[in-house]
Amino acid sequence: MPDLLEYLSPYIQEQAQRFLTDPEYEQNRAYRDFHLDWLRAHLGPEALGHLEDFCGLQALAGEAKQHALLRAALAAGVRLGSLGQLAE
């Protein structure tokens, strides 16, 4: 299964971009980036280091969440597929 996840994950991320074209989503990302840029410009060196560590850890947590969602989606697909087999 891990090999399958490694194969499917980039494909799913590429395809997901079609679903992330919502104007509200784009606006939220722009606001996020604006605030992050402001923080980076106004924080001292120590606080900036903590912010960068936070951003890195947040990215790692996001990747773990994406993999968990992918596993859950695949499990749901398998479950739905097996229900279809029963109907025949």
Side-chain angles (χ1 to χ4, degrees):
M1 186 74 140
D3 292 338
L4 180 61
L5 290 175
E6 292 300 319
Y7 174 76
L8 288 176
S9 185
Y11 173 78
I12 290 171
Q13 288 175 2
E14 180 182 306
Q15 296 301 312
Q17 295 306 311
R18 295 184 303 136
F19 301 104
L20 299 177
T21 58
D22 178 41
E24 186 176 356
Y25 175 78
E26 291 298 326
Q27 186 178 34
N28 288 334
R29 287 182 56 162
Y31 286 145
R32 178 205 61 195
D33 293 344
F34 169 78
H35 290 293
L36 185 57
D37 289 343
W38 187 95
L39 280 171
R40 286 183 172 139
H42 290 86
L43 292 177
E46 183 180 2
L48 187 57
H50 283 283
L51 177 64
E52 295 304 326
D53 289 345
F54 168 79
C55 289
L57 292 170
Q58 188 176 34
L60 288 175
E63 287 177 23
K65 183 177 181 178
Q66 283 183 335
H67 282 269
L69 289 172
L70 177 56
R71 285 185 181 102
L74 288 173
V78 167
R79 177 80 177 178
L80 288 171
S82 69
L83 291 175
Q85 296 283 334
L86 294 176
E88 294 177 3

